[in-house]
């Protein structure tokens, strides 16, 4: 009888232990999701954003302009005189834009400007000159963002700048008046940098610089620009600053050795 009682008690203990295992396992399963780390969410894929910026550059012009058949003449138009010198028919067009996907971007900047400038021709006799120029400057290329820390960005860029010039040149002296016309188109490769720095309260600074030509088209073709920006809303940014663009091109009697500089204002729209 003692042996039977011991076997019964052992069987009852084993059964109780077996019944307790599922309950413990269930409790562990209940606690596991609370203690296990949640799976990391996948980073959102970069999306394309677009900006368009109409602007007005009150650019004066200084340097030498020449057309085959006439010696180069010196012209000098200060940006304060630009409204009187612009040919408003057709009106000037100035528009920049960017398409960005993450660190990569495509950019463009188009300028059409008709300008009438008075000048002089160096030489033993006093000669006055008048240049009537229709100019297209189209900058294009791609960029890669190497720095983006939330406060500042820095992009490196490469591309080209297309120039088209249609020039009518008149030189008048005491004995005769000579006229010549000509047009030229060329493309300069370029490299450069562009960056932004946030100042707070919606304000920021933007700067860019590039250099090109390298004898492929012009001997040298370069520009610098700096602007103060104000973010009016998520989709509109206003900016104002100063821009300097210079080019030195000469080929087959056609000369365009010019520096253009002056204040610039614009509004950037983000889509």
């Amino acid at each position: 009888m003692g042996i039977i009682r011991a076997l019964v008690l052992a069987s009852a203990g084993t059964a109780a232990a077996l019944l307790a295992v599922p309950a413990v396992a269930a409790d562990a399963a209940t606690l596991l999701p609370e203690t296990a780390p949640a799976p990391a969410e996948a980073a959102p894929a970069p999306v394309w954003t677009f900006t368009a910026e109409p602007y007005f550059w009150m650019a004066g012009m200084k340097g030498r302009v020449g057309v085959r058949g006439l010696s180069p003449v010196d012209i000098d138009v200060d940006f304060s005189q630009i409204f009187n010198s612009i040919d408003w028919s057709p009106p000037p067009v100035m528009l920049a834009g960017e398409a960005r996907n993450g660190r990569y971007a495509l950019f463009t900047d188009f300028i059409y400007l008709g300008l009438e400038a008075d000048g002089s021709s160096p030489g033993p006799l006093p000669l006055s000159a008048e240049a009537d120029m229709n100019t297209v400057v189209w900058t294009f290329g791609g960029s890669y963002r190497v720095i983006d820390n939330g406060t500042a960005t820095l992009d490196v860029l490469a591309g080209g700048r297309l120039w088209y010039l249609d020039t009518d040149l008149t030189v008048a002296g005491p004995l005769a008046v000579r006229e010549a016309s000509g047009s030229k188109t060329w493309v300069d490769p370029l490299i450069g940098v562009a960056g932004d720095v946030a100042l707070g309260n919606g304000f920021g600074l933007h700067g860019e610089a590039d250099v090109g030509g390298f004898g492929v088209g012009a001997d040298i073709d370069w520009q610098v620009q700096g602007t103060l920006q104000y973010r009016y809303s998520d989709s509109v940014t206003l900016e104002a600053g100063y821009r300097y663009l210079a080019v030195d091109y000469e080929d087959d009697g056609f000369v365009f050795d010019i520096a253009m500089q002056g204040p610039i204002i614009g509004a950037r729209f983000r889509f």
Side-chain angles (χ1 to χ4, degrees):
M1 293 296 293
I3 296 174
I4 293 174
R5 186 180 295 109
L7 291 174
V8 171
L9 292 175
S11 298
T14 302
L18 292 174
L19 290 173
V21 169
V24 173
D27 291 341
T30 302
L31 294 174
L32 183 60
E34 298 179 1
T35 58
E41 295 184 1
V47 296
W48 285 98
T49 59
F50 303 90
T51 61
E53 181 180 4
Y55 64 91
F56 184 63
W57 181 26
M58 293 168 279
M61 184 179 291
K62 184 176 182 179
R64 298 185 308 131
V65 176
V67 180
R68 184 168 57 182
L70 286 180
S71 299
V73 300
D74 298 326
I75 63 170
D76 188 356
V77 179
D78 190 77
F79 69 81
S80 63
Q81 304 168 330
I82 192 66
F83 288 98
N84 295 326
S85 300
I86 288 178
D87 184 356
W88 295 96
S89 179
V93 177
M94 302 176 186
L95 181 65
E98 181 187 74
R100 175 169 293 279
N101 189 314
R103 291 183 177 269
Y104 297 92
L106 301 173
F107 63 87
T108 185
D109 185 346
F110 180 85
I111 298 172
Y112 166 77
L113 181 63
L115 195 67
E116 297 176 355
D118 295 328
S120 61
S121 179
L125 296 176
L127 301 177
S128 62
E130 181 178 313
D132 186 356
M133 296 171 289
N134 293 315
T135 307
V136 172
V137 186
W138 177 35
T139 306
F140 55 90
S143 66
Y144 177 75
R145 181 152 293 175
V146 295
I147 295 176
D148 188 352
N149 59 18
T151 301
T153 64
L154 179 65
D155 297 347
V156 294
L157 58 90
R161 182 174 292 124
L162 180 145
W163 293 83
Y164 168 77
L165 292 146
D166 186 6
T167 303
D168 296 327
L169 194 60
T170 302
V171 178
L175 300 179
V177 175
R178 300 182 62 193
E179 297 180 353
S181 300
S183 62
K184 274 287 183 179
T185 303
W186 73 92
V187 178
D188 295 328
L190 62 86
I191 55 175
V193 294
D196 294 277
V197 177
L199 301 178
N201 297 320
F203 288 93
L205 294 175
H206 172 77
E208 57 185 87
D210 62 55
V211 61
F214 312 118
V216 176
D219 290 335
I220 186 70
D221 178 352
W222 65 281
Q223 77 162 337
V224 291
Q225 177 178 322
T227 57
L228 175 65
Q229 299 179 324
Y230 176 68
R231 189 170 183 178
Y232 179 77
S233 68
D234 289 342
S235 58
V236 180
T237 299
L238 309 177
E239 64 178 336
Y242 203 85
R243 184 179 188 179
Y244 183 99
L245 171 61
V247 62
D248 183 1
Y249 177 85
E250 184 170 354
D251 179 62
D252 194 25
F254 193 95
V255 177
F256 196 69
D257 183 4
I258 287 293
M260 304 170 66
Q261 62 178 318
I264 184 172
I265 57 174
R268 182 178 302 174
F269 301 91
R270 184 175 184 269
F271 306 96

